[in-house]
Amino acid sequence: MQLKNNLYKIIRKEGVGPVVNYAIELIPSCVIYAAHFPGEPITPGVCIVQMGKELVEELLSEQRSTPCKLMITKVKNVKFLSIISPNETLQLTYQVKKLVTSEDGTSVETQLIVLSEEKPMAKISLVLRIV
């Protein structure tokens, strides 16, 4: 399921490498928040990871000038440091700290930091297969 334009929208992108920042805005009216949790919405961890994957797809598509789809093959590390609620944190920055393509060009390894006003909210390390 694509979360872009349902759970979040990209406000701006800064940088071209090696560090790229995506400022995003959460969409509190998303159905996910009605289920997780009614009256006290929290962004599910799986959605935080999925948003990062989608932003890496966006970055690679731009770099390659062709649409790029990725599949998570390995979650190397995920640390959720704070709860992300659209009631308290409407805007986030996803910082792509590392993006390395494998020698055979079939996968990428990435490290992301999710920030709210410079405060780290999550740290994510993934291996993604190009599909």
Side-chain angles (χ1 to χ4, degrees):
M1 175 184 168
Q2 175 95 12
L3 297 178
K4 184 179 171 188
N5 299 322
N6 292 307
L7 182 64
Y8 73 98
K9 62 183 175 183
I10 298 173
I11 300 170
R12 72 182 169 283
K13 173 188 169 247
E14 298 171 339
V16 289
V19 176
V20 176
N21 293 327
Y22 283 95
I24 67 162
E25 184 173 288
L26 299 174
I27 301 172
S29 61
C30 180
V31 68
I32 288 171
Y33 290 124
H36 199 266
F37 296 95
E40 301 263 346
I42 295 172
T43 307
V46 69
C47 292
I48 295 167
V49 173
Q50 176 69 17
M51 287 188 287
K53 181 199 80 107
E54 290 178 14
L55 293 169
V56 172
E57 285 176 336
E58 182 107 3
L59 180 58
L60 285 175
S61 294
E62 182 181 295
Q63 289 177 349
R64 296 167 179 227
S65 300
T66 183
C68 182
K69 288 290 181 196
L70 302 170
M71 183 172 69
I72 297 172
T73 57
K74 184 176 184 180
V75 178
K76 292 180 78 175
N77 191 25
V78 175
K79 291 183 184 180
F80 299 111
L81 304 170
S82 292
I83 291 172
I84 298 174
S85 168
N87 292 344
E88 298 168 14
T89 307
L90 196 56
Q91 292 187 0
L92 296 169
T93 299
Y94 272 74
Q95 190 172 76
V96 182
K97 298 279 288 184
K98 176 183 178 184
L99 188 62
V100 178
T101 303
S102 64
E103 285 185 27
D104 63 4
T106 61
S107 66
V108 294
E109 186 174 335
T110 188
Q111 289 179 347
L112 306 151
I113 298 177
V114 183
L115 303 158
S116 173
E117 298 179 5
E118 305 300 318
K119 176 185 174 192
M121 304 296 277
K123 296 180 180 180
I124 305 166
S125 295
L126 304 171
V127 177
L128 307 152
R129 183 167 49 95
I130 299 169
V131 292

